[in-house]
């Protein structure tokens, strides 16, 4: 049986060079590549990629760029758990991960973490590209180094990502509107509060809002939708003030929160005893579930964040170890969660 070492010896190159040729990775001249490929064909060589990786004592490093989970919202703790569990499962293949965490509401924090990741010279990268402009500015540095990357949670088209794992944000917003439509009258007024300092730079949020508005434009044009920017999401007084300003002048029938921060609005509604306003949001974090169970939140759309992190690492490990190219998109399910089914999700 011909081995990688046999091929390397006949070609008068290192086993590492043969490995790069087999897996079509950079770092080998065209002349050497052609020479090695000729010898491989002559010996009808077929490689067991997993065995060869272990035999070569090869290791891989994956850089992970995701937001840090906060006490206000633990959403990002779930992808992190998924990543850690996936790494534990594949540790025998000598794959490790290094986290680069950032504040999801601070674009400069994202940019700094991204720059630190780029300097790490990783074999592959898993990214939650929360900030569109900063991603557009920095992603070409990974492309230049020929470092493969996978996007999770937020899809940004037009880049060279191997794959995207997450929901179709537009369709999920459309679904949220369909849920809202069964609870409010045809002439309803709906509020969309956004907890962002610069909401124009958040692709997922914007796509959800677009999908939501499109549904009502197509189905119930008489419904009025009002946008509300709340920049100081950590200040309860700022949230209350912003909502008070709207509700003193308008009769609001429903509120759509296009993020995992529904609990902040739900708390206001409970304290103000506004039990007749319908509320739809995202994600089954602990605080959201609390308000879902007491009927302040009517529906939550879950996007399975754990699986996004877990599958992202598995796709990259398969690509690195087995040269297996993933599908362009792995859509996350749009699970509608209610008070009645939340304990079984």
């Amino acid at each position: 049986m011909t081995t990688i070492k046999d091929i390397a010896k006949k070609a008068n190159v290192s086993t590492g060079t043969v490995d790069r040729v087999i897996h079509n990775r950079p770092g080998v001249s065209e002349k050497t590549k052609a020479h090695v490929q000729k010898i491989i064909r002559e010996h009808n060589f077929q490689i067991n990629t997993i065995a060869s990786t272990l035999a070569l004592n090869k290791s891989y490093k994956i850089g992970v760029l995701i937001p840090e989970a906060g006490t206000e919202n633990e959403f990002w703790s779930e992808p992190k758990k998924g990543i850690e569990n996936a790494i534990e499962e594949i540790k025998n293949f000598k794959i490790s991960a290094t986290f680069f965490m950032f504040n999801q509401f601070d674009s400069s924090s994202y940019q700094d973490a991204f720059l630190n990741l780029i300097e790490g010279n990783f074999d592959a990268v898993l990214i939650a590209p929360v900030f569109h402009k900063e991603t557009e500015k920095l992603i070409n540095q990974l492309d230049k180094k020929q470092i493969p990357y996978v996007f999770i949670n937020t899809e940004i088209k037009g880049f060279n990502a191997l794959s995207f794992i997450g929901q179709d944000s537009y369709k999920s917003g459309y679904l949220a509107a369909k849920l809202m439509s069964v609870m409010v009258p045809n002439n309803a007024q709906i509020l969309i509060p956004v907890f962002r300092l610069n909401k124009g730079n958040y692709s997922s949020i914007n796509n959800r809002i677009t999908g939501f508005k499109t549904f009502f434009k197509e189905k119930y044009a008489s419904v009025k939708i009002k946008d509300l920017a709340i920049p100081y999401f950590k200040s309860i007084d700022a949230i209350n003030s912003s909502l008070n300003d709207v509700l003193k002048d308008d009769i609001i029938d429903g509120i759509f929160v296009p993020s995992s921060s529904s609990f902040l609005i739900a708390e206001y509604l409970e304290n103000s005893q506004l039990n007749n306003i319908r509320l739809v949001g995202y994600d089954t974090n602990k605080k959201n579930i609390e308000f879902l169970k007491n009927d302040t939140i009517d529906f939550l759309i879950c996007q399975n964040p754990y699986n996004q992190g877990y599958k992202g690492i598995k796709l990259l490990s398969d690509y690195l170890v087995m040269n297996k190219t993933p599908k362009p998109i792995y859509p996350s399910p749009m699970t509608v969660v209610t008070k009645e089914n939340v304990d079984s999700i």
Side-chain angles (χ1 to χ4, degrees):
M1 176 180 173
T2 304
T3 67
I4 284 183
K5 291 182 179 180
D6 295 330
I7 297 295
K9 185 176 180 180
K10 291 180 183 296
N12 197 27
V13 297
S14 69
T15 53
T17 296
V18 176
D19 184 65
R20 284 192 291 273
V21 171
I22 290 171
H23 295 95
N24 196 29
R25 297 195 181 102
V28 183
S29 70
E30 289 301 320
K31 182 178 179 181
T32 301
K33 182 177 180 180
H35 178 54
V36 172
Q37 288 174 334
K38 181 174 180 291
I39 294 174
I40 288 174
R41 287 193 299 271
E42 289 174 350
H43 291 80
N44 194 26
F45 180 76
Q46 293 182 343
I47 185 169
N48 180 326
T49 52
I50 296 177
S52 67
T53 299
L54 295 174
L56 286 169
N57 199 31
K58 191 172 182 63
S59 61
Y60 297 101
K61 298 190 303 177
I62 297 176
V64 178
L65 181 66
I66 62 172
E68 57 197 8
T71 55
E72 299 87 3
N73 190 341
E74 73 272 16
F75 173 86
W76 284 102
S77 66
E78 288 301 306
K80 188 170 186 289
K81 288 178 186 175
I83 291 165
E84 291 170 338
N85 286 346
I87 289 293
E88 177 65 22
E89 289 181 12
I90 59 177
K91 64 182 180 181
N92 288 340
F93 299 138
K94 300 181 181 178
I95 297 176
S96 62
T98 302
F99 287 93
F100 294 83
M101 315 296 283
F102 61 90
N103 182 338
Q104 70 180 95
F105 298 103
D106 183 354
S107 60
S108 62
S109 170
Y110 175 77
Q111 182 169 287
D112 290 344
F114 206 138
L115 288 170
N116 288 334
L117 178 146
I118 290 169
E119 293 175 0
N121 293 318
F122 291 95
D123 297 291
V125 174
L126 187 67
I127 306 173
V130 173
F131 294 92
H132 189 126
K133 294 175 183 177
E134 287 69 21
T135 303
E136 192 172 28
K137 177 181 177 182
L138 295 170
I139 202 75
N140 67 322
Q141 296 191 46
L142 295 179
D143 292 331
K144 287 178 180 177
K145 292 184 175 183
Q146 296 184 306
I147 299 173
Y149 52 92
V150 166
F151 287 156
I152 62 170
N153 189 258
T154 301
E155 182 179 19
I156 304 182
K157 297 180 180 179
F159 297 136
N160 298 314
L162 284 175
S163 186
F164 164 67
I165 308 164
Q167 282 184 354
D168 183 315
S169 300
Y170 175 88
K171 288 183 178 179
S172 74
Y174 200 94
L175 171 61
K178 185 174 287 189
L179 294 170
M180 181 68 76
S181 71
V182 303
M183 300 186 293
V184 299
N186 292 346
N187 63 345
Q189 184 157 233
I190 298 171
L191 184 68
I192 303 180
V194 179
F195 297 95
R196 302 288 180 183
L197 297 175
N198 179 15
K199 74 185 185 76
N201 200 17
Y202 293 81
S203 298
S204 291
I205 299 297
N206 292 335
N207 289 338
R208 288 172 183 170
I209 293 172
T210 300
F212 188 90
K213 290 181 176 179
T214 299
F215 172 87
F216 280 105
K217 183 178 180 180
E218 292 176 351
K219 307 294 184 181
Y220 303 97
S222 57
V223 168
K224 295 181 181 179
I225 298 177
K226 185 180 183 68
D227 296 301
L228 176 65
I230 306 180
Y232 304 108
F233 73 98
K234 289 187 177 182
S235 169
I236 297 299
D237 290 339
I239 295 170
N240 292 347
S241 177
S242 297
L243 291 170
N244 285 336
D245 288 344
V246 172
L247 293 172
K248 73 179 181 181
D249 297 323
D250 298 305
I251 297 176
I252 300 297
D253 300 287
I255 299 178
F256 169 53
V257 183
S259 69
S260 53
S261 300
S262 300
F263 63 90
L264 294 171
I265 302 300
E267 186 172 13
Y268 171 87
L269 295 179
E270 278 203 358
N271 292 338
S272 303
Q273 296 184 332
L274 296 172
N275 303 321
N276 59 329
I277 297 179
R278 307 276 59 86
L279 182 57
V280 177
Y282 284 84
D283 303 318
T284 52
N285 53 56
K286 291 179 182 178
K287 291 184 178 180
N288 279 351
I289 290 175
E290 175 186 337
F291 288 106
L292 183 73
K293 286 186 172 182
N294 65 18
D295 291 321
T296 307
I297 295 175
D298 296 284
F299 294 104
L300 292 170
I301 298 175
C302 178
Q303 50 189 325
N304 199 349
Y306 174 92
N307 188 63
Q308 292 179 16
Y310 179 87
K311 193 170 188 64
I313 291 296
K314 285 302 189 76
L315 292 180
L316 286 174
S317 67
D318 286 349
Y319 181 79
L320 292 172
V321 176
M322 295 184 284
N323 201 31
K324 182 179 179 181
T325 301
K327 294 186 295 185
I329 297 177
Y330 292 84
S332 295
M334 299 179 202
T335 305
V336 178
V337 183
T338 67
K339 172 184 178 179
E340 290 74 24
N341 71 354
V342 64
D343 290 328
S344 62
I345 297 298

